[in-house]
Amino acid sequence: MPHTPGPWYTPQPQQQPVPHNPYAPQGQGPPRPPGPSRRGRFGRGPVAVLVTVVLLAAGGGVYALTGGDGGKPAAPVGAGTPEPSATETSPRAPAPSSPAPEEIPTSDEINAARKPGDATAWVVDDPTDLPRAGILANDLWIVGDTVVQAVHKKVTARRLSDGVQVWSLKLPSTVCETPVNPTPDGKVVVVHHNGAKSRCNQLQEIDLRTGKAGWHKELAETGTADSTIIVHSAISGGTLAIVQNMRAAAYRVGDGAKLYDIPVEKTGGCYPDDVAGGPRLLVSYGCAIGSKTPYSRLRGVDPLTGRTLWRYRTQPGWSAGKVLSVEPVVLTTLNAERRTDDWRVVSLGPGGKLRRTIDARPKGFKYCGDSGDAGQGIQNCQGAVVGGGLVALGGTDRVGAYDLGTGKLVWGVKSENGHTLHPLRTVTGRAALVYEAATLRNPGRIIRIGPGSADTEKEVLRHPASATKPEYGMLAGNLAYTRNRIIITPSMVNGDDAQRHAEMISFAPGTD
């Protein structure tokens, strides 16, 4: 699509919250009128105009920051209004009635309204009764021909082709932690609360191919150093690594047997604080905690033996933020005082050696696609993907790709209609597939952008307009892309009947 001449950055009007939508930002102005997306190329020169923008929440809502029951508790009930006295003669005003909940279109209704060339879609409207407080919708796992997700006390697998439930497994308490990756043969270990919900310490192994529960184990605590109020987990190969406060250990996924302790590094006072998995196992350490110049260490670990393969140390006063990729190793670092206002992308080479540091702030990119640090885990960073020698960064109104070797911006695109742009994966030709999220008025779509920026933009998948409301209501909280299909869920759900919401929606090429 040809880019529009003029300044590459255009102020966006504020947007009106969607009625009965629990995920929409509140207190914002009227929406932009509908119209096709307009693109501007950027990255060829200095910023011409400085503006102030009210940003939409790119991460699909706020993640829970505690190990509690899935997020923030419901607001406390006030003392109420005193009853009128017996001498009061004026009638009380009637209480306002709750608005009728919005109906969620069915898959058949969405597809019946498709136009030629539109994607086909399916939508999940789960009737499960949930608490009114926010409940975290956890990582998406693609196993075989299913997509699996843990929400509240249930893990559910749905068929990719039509969203039909294949199996569902009930758990005795709320899931409070999930690893990003399952094992190569489709096993996973979720962590759920104990009966009192005061600890996140119950390990449950699950076969994601069948939905069968395997072994169960309780994490032990010996003191505050290994508290299980909040835990982090990762799976690499057949090994599960768990960090609980300032201690960490590894377990065999197959039977739950403990393999080894991940050691504290006494030199520098370094304690494990998070883990990342997948093709490699990485352990993050916080060091010199409480000093004026704290720093982080990142260790590459042999998942079978726990042997340290390499170490990387951040500069004093900087900490490791999020791991964007474990192969190659790409992470973010944060200034200890300014945090997400002062961040970098760091690429490591063989042996954990620093390869390149990239500062994406001059081009207007915000930390983790404008979602900030949700605190959910070291591998949960919205709006960033790595592959083909590139790191692609997205955000509220822009997407771009940097070369991991040179640190230079390869291409960049700006949306003048305020669409949030989420890179899904890099593809051949130094290009990337990008999800352009739905707005109040316009459905989402998937586009391919290459080194020519807006001049090489190509539409890959156009979502039907009939799916706009449920798609926008999710604010791209969790995304998965597989076999030319995108799966989208909100980051949080709740059981407020007046705030109807879909739990999952998916789009794939149609068969016109």
Side-chain angles (χ1 to χ4, degrees):
M1 180 179 298
H3 68 278
T4 305
W8 65 271
Y9 199 100
T10 304
Q12 300 301 321
Q14 298 174 338
Q15 294 204 356
Q16 186 74 12
V18 180
H20 325 313
N21 176 10
Y23 314 112
Q26 297 299 311
Q28 299 182 4
R32 189 182 185 96
S37 301
R38 301 171 67 196
R39 292 278 183 264
R41 181 200 311 257
F42 71 87
R44 302 238 171 170
V47 178
V49 182
L50 294 179
V51 295
T52 302
V53 179
V54 177
L55 300 176
L56 287 178
V62 181
Y63 285 106
L65 298 180
T66 70
D69 193 9
K72 294 182 179 180
V77 178
T81 304
E83 290 295 323
S85 66
T87 59
E88 187 174 354
T89 56
S90 58
R92 297 179 67 185
S97 59
S98 298
E102 253 182 64
E103 290 296 324
I104 297 169
T106 65
S107 303
D108 288 343
E109 289 170 339
I110 291 173
N111 290 319
R114 289 174 58 238
K115 295 180 180 178
D118 281 355
T120 57
W122 53 257
V123 63
V124 174
D125 180 12
D126 194 331
T128 302
D129 190 23
L130 295 171
R132 292 173 68 92
I135 300 294
L136 190 67
N138 292 283
D139 297 293
L140 290 169
W141 300 304
I142 305 298
V143 179
D145 61 352
T146 64
V147 55
V148 189
Q149 189 177 38
V151 177
H152 195 39
K153 301 179 182 181
K154 187 170 66 172
V155 184
T156 304
R158 299 189 180 278
R159 198 159 53 210
L160 285 170
S161 60
D162 54 14
V164 170
Q165 179 177 302
V166 177
W167 57 259
S168 184
L169 176 66
K170 281 192 171 184
L171 298 172
S173 191
T174 307
V175 174
C176 47
E177 166 62 13
T178 58
V180 170
N181 307 97
T183 64
D185 62 349
K187 304 290 199 318
V188 78
V189 178
V190 303
V191 192
H192 63 85
H193 287 115
N194 61 351
K197 296 187 178 180
S198 60
R199 293 290 185 268
C200 181
N201 63 358
Q202 305 294 308
L203 305 182
Q204 179 61 64
E205 187 249 3
I206 302 170
D207 187 334
L208 299 180
R209 299 166 301 180
T210 64
K212 301 297 183 183
W215 57 265
H216 174 270
K217 188 183 188 79
E218 181 172 313
L219 292 172
E221 292 186 27
T222 60
T224 57
D226 56 359
S227 165
T228 57
I229 294 176
I230 297 175
V231 304
H232 295 295
S233 66
I235 289 177
S236 180
T239 298
L240 168 73
I242 295 276
V243 170
Q244 48 188 98
N245 200 12
M246 301 170 74
R247 301 284 176 84
Y251 303 86
R252 190 161 49 226
V253 175
D255 57 10
K258 186 174 181 179
L259 297 175
Y260 50 85
D261 287 312
I262 295 172
V264 171
E265 297 195 354
K266 295 182 179 179
T267 303
C270 298
Y271 297 88
D273 57 19
D274 215 324
V275 283
R280 297 286 182 267
L281 179 60
L282 308 182
V283 181
S284 171
Y285 287 77
C287 305
I289 300 169
S291 73
K292 293 183 179 179
T293 55
Y295 63 95
S296 292
R297 283 181 181 166
L298 193 67
R299 294 174 61 217
V301 175
D302 183 328
L304 290 177
T305 66
R307 180 173 63 91
T308 297
L309 303 175
W310 52 261
R311 286 181 176 87
Y312 167 76
R313 173 175 170 166
T314 65
Q315 298 178 21
W318 287 74
S319 61
K322 301 288 187 179
V323 172
L324 308 182
S325 168
V326 300
E327 192 180 39
V329 178
V330 182
L331 67 147
T332 63
T333 59
L334 305 172
N335 182 279
E337 294 183 356
R338 296 184 292 274
R339 304 299 295 169
T340 57
D341 289 334
D342 193 0
W343 61 284
R344 305 290 187 273
V345 174
V346 173
S347 172
L348 302 184
K353 302 296 184 182
L354 177 63
R355 184 184 181 198
R356 187 64 60 181
T357 299
I358 300 168
D359 186 357
R361 296 174 303 154
K363 298 304 179 187
F365 289 103
K366 302 294 182 66
Y367 193 70
C368 289
D370 297 359
S371 65
D373 189 345
Q376 191 188 4
I378 202 171
Q379 284 187 281
N380 297 98
C381 183
Q382 289 285 349
V385 298
V386 174
L390 303 175
V391 56
L393 304 175
T396 298
D397 61 356
R398 66 197 61 209
V399 65
Y402 288 83
D403 188 297
L404 291 172
T406 66
K408 294 181 179 180
L409 183 70
V410 177
W411 54 261
V413 164
K414 162 84 167 55
S415 169
E416 295 187 6
N417 282 356
H419 287 263
T420 302
L421 300 169
H422 299 264
L424 298 172
R425 66 173 52 170
T426 60
V427 293
T428 56
R430 298 176 72 77
L433 294 178
V434 177
Y435 170 52
E436 183 182 81
T439 65
L440 282 165
R441 302 288 184 86
N442 299 318
R445 62 178 186 149
I446 295 175
I447 51 181
R448 183 187 186 276
I449 303 174
S453 298
D455 293 338
T456 52
E457 179 181 314
K458 179 182 179 182
E459 185 174 79
V460 174
L461 192 66
R462 184 177 69 240
H463 301 176
S466 50
T468 300
K469 283 187 178 181
E471 183 182 3
Y472 174 73
M474 295 182 180
L475 290 184
N478 293 299
L479 301 173
Y481 187 76
T482 180
R483 305 173 198 173
N484 301 319
R485 173 180 294 279
I486 187 170
I487 303 101
I488 312 166
T489 80
S491 61
M492 299 192 78
V493 298
N494 71 66
D496 188 344
D497 291 336
Q499 297 181 326
R500 297 284 292 149
H501 56 272
E503 185 173 302
M504 186 179 289
I505 195 166
S506 179
F507 302 95
T511 56
D512 297 325

